[in-house]
Each structure stands twice: as structure tokens, then as C-alpha cells.
Amino acid sequence: MLFKDILGHDDTKRALIRSVQNNHVAHAQLFDGPVGGAGIALAWAFATFVNCEDRQPDDACGRCASCSKMRKLVHPDVYHIFPLPRTPKDGEDLLGELTPKWRAFLDEHPYRTLPEWLSYINATGNQQGIIPIRESRSIVNKLSLKAFEGEFKIMLFWQPELLNVQAANALLKILEEPPEKTLFLIVSSQSDKLLTTIISRTQRVAIRAFTDEEVVLFLTQKGFDERRARQIAYLSEGNLSEAMRLTNETEDDRHAWFAQWMRKCYSRDFVSLVKLADEFDTLGKEKQKGIFDYTLNLFRDLFLWQNGVSELLRLQEEELSFVQKFGKAVNPNAIELLIQEITDGYYHLERNARAKVLFLDISLTAARTMRLS
């Protein structure tokens, strides 16, 4: 992974490169960004640049022995910590056993999420991911050894928010007294769950979400037509992992479903709403969640338009036209209420509540509150 392989984030790339060129590399860096963002990709590219044998002004060379090994994630001076599905048994090296899968997982694309990883390693439903203290200590012990080939020994640590208190304290100790020429590249999407003492001992690298245009470019480079790419970009909200997941869905017209639903709610056509609830109940869960996601996005943009901040809208022409027309007729207070109703409905849908009941309940609330008095 080279910096040039990552879309956008030019300011962040330049800052990381400059820190190496000026010999001001912080020993512990927290790549803090959103789910499905460029965090692990940037950390990987930075690790490649740091140990490159022929650094270029704006990137690693991509050709030397070190870059070749980093491309395959097999560099002997780079260690990986990632969530495990369970606590290892005595004498079991579960981290080592899963490392080949971890490499293959990132090789597909580096914009990954914890649920994807747990699914990839076939974790069971009650396995939420854990980083045990024993695994942390094992890597820390390896970091105390001299580097084999590169200038730096590097620990690439993904999802540190899953550390329990004991494991976090073990990490904190080595962050306070790091071995010479050792880098800790810590990639988090929920830094608010980290110990403040860990955050205070790291240099934060703030990472933004991908823009819609970057998502569109990413998808069109993979062969998707621009219309489909823009639809996915709107739904994924800068999360490239979600964008990749959406590409595997059969293209559907969520806007047509949403517009029909809202019109039936506004006209209080209860017979049609019951039929829509029956139809919603027959859809797969991912499609049901997709409709709720789309509805939340449209309601958010409808709320923005009604409050005079249309410059923040990310809508395409068809959706924009609907928002402008519908926004003139619908009660603004109802939109705020319905956003909460659908958010709650999404939560219960993920926990296997009956989809028909959820959908009909939201529909009746919408029918009751939408019209301007």
C-alpha cells in the first residue's frame, strides 16, 4: 500500500511524509477516523514509507525489498494486532493462526470494518471481538528486540478500543517507555472509548471520511457507471466499506419506494400502508435496512432544506426535486420525530423485531404527524 493508492487525503499524506523527512516522527500515532475510512490504509502506507529503502519525495518507491514485503504484509519488522473472536486457550497462538487471514482480508481492500472482519473469520454471533492482554504483551516483547531489516520496528494496531482495562494498561506502559526506533501506529474508529492516558501519549492523525466525489471515483475506477456510483456514494456517506457492500446488492430504486411510502402516509391511505407493510416484511433484512438508511438520509436533507441550509444537501436531481416539493407540505416538527422513530426502528430491526410491525408503526406515526395544521 502506497500513498498514491489512497484517494484524496493529500494534506494528511503530506504531513506524514514531512514528519519523516524532518526526522520528527512521533513514536506513537493515533490514526483517528470514521468507520470505513482511510485509517488503516494511511497507517499501512506510512509504515511502508518509513522503512522504504529508496524513499521518493512524495511516496515510497514501491520497488525495494522492504516495499515488496510491506505490499504483502510480511515485513519481519512490522507486527499486527487485531481483534480476535475469543480469548486464546493456554498455549494457543490464535493471533498467529489468524494472521494469514488478516493479510488476505486487507489485500481485498483496506477500508474495512470490525463486523466484516468477524464475518471473514466466521466468528459466531456472540463473539464481538477481543484483544487479550496476553497477545498485547507478546507483541510488546517482540518489539523489544532489534529490528531485522528496517530502520523502525512497527506495531500496526487496529481497533484498540476493544482493549480491556488490563490490556490497555499494558499498552500504556510501553507507550511511556518505548524501545528505540519503535513506532506504534494505532488505528481507531472509536477513539472516545480509549483511555485518556493512551490518547495523551499519542500524536493524533485526524482522518476525515471520504467525500462523495472520492467514492464515485473509487467506484467508477472499478467499472461501475456514474449514476450507480453516485447513488451508492449518497447512501454510504463516505464509508468505502459500506460502498463496497452496496455494490454487491442488486440495484433497486429506493427513491421510488420512499416517495410512494411518503405519499401514502401524507394522504393517510391506511389500506395501502398495510399492503406496503406486508411487502416490506417479505424483503430481506439488508434491503429493509437499506430502505431505512435511505429514508434517514432523505429526512436529514429534508430537514436541512426546510431550515434554509440547502447548500449542505448532497442530493441528485430526482431526490432534490422531491425534497423541495414535499418539504413545502410536510410539518417540520414531524421530520424530527420521524428521524427518531426510524432510528429506533433500525435498532430493533437489527435485533430481529418483526419488520411488518415496525414499518406499520412508523407509517401510522408519519400519517398522524406529517400534515401542516
Side-chain angles (χ1 to χ4, degrees), residues 9 42 64 68 137 144 199 206 238 241 246 276 282 319 326 333:
H9 299 82
L42 285 167
C64 68
S68 178
R137 285 175 173 165
S144 65
I199 295 175
S241 175
L246 289 169
L276 273 179
T282 65
E319 286 90 346
F326 195 59
N333 294 328

Side-chain angles (χ1 to χ4, degrees), residues 291-308:
I291 290 171
F292 276 1
D293 274 331
Y294 183 84
T295 303
L296 284 172
N297 285 345
L298 259 292
F299 275 168
R300 179 203 59 204
D301 286 329
L302 181 58
F303 183 83
L304 291 173
W305 186 85
Q306 287 181 326
N307 285 276

Side-chain angles (χ1 to χ4, degrees), residues 33-38 111-115 159 188-190 209 236-242:
V35 173
Y111 312 108
R112 311 311 297 256
T113 65
L114 178 61
Q159 300 285 321
S188 175
S189 56
Q190 291 181 300
S236 62
E237 296 191 302
N239 181 334
L240 270 191
S241 175
E242 177 66 6

Side-chain angles (χ1 to χ4, degrees), residues 134-184:
R134 190 172 68 191
E135 304 302 322
S136 303
R137 285 175 173 165
S138 172
I139 296 293
V140 165
N141 289 337
K142 292 177 182 178
L143 289 174
S144 65
L145 303 174
K146 186 177 180 180
F148 290 96
E149 298 177 6
E151 181 180 354
F152 288 90
K153 293 165 292 180
I154 300 172
M155 182 171 77
L156 188 58
F157 197 150
W158 188 56
Q159 300 285 321
E161 51 267 31
L162 295 178
L163 287 165
N164 59 30
V165 175
Q166 282 183 317
N169 285 329
L171 175 63
L172 178 61
K173 185 174 181 180
I174 195 168
L175 289 180
E176 291 173 335
E177 301 175 4
E180 187 179 1
K181 289 289 185 177
T182 299
L183 292 182
F184 298 87

Side-chain angles (χ1 to χ4, degrees), residues 69-97:
K69 291 173 184 176
M70 282 302 302
R71 185 169 57 251
K72 301 173 184 176
L73 290 174
V74 295
H75 197 291
D77 294 318
V78 179
Y79 304 94
H80 301 264
I81 293 184
F82 45 80
L84 304 181
R86 56 177 173 80
T87 301
K89 302 172 184 176
D90 288 340
E92 181 184 24
D93 181 14
L94 186 56
L95 187 73
E97 292 175 11

Side-chain angles (χ1 to χ4, degrees), residues 79 118 158 163 166 199 202 226 235 239 257 262-263 343:
Y79 304 94
L118 294 175
W158 188 56
L163 287 165
Q166 282 183 317
I199 295 175
T202 62
E226 185 173 345
L235 294 171
N239 181 334
W257 176 284
M262 291 301 102
R263 291 187 182 110
T343 301

Side-chain angles (χ1 to χ4, degrees), residues 21 25 98 114 195 200 210 272 274 324 339:
Q21 293 171 338
V25 179
L98 289 175
L114 178 61
L195 293 179
S200 68
F210 287 99
S272 295
V274 171
Q324 290 172 336
I339 287 173

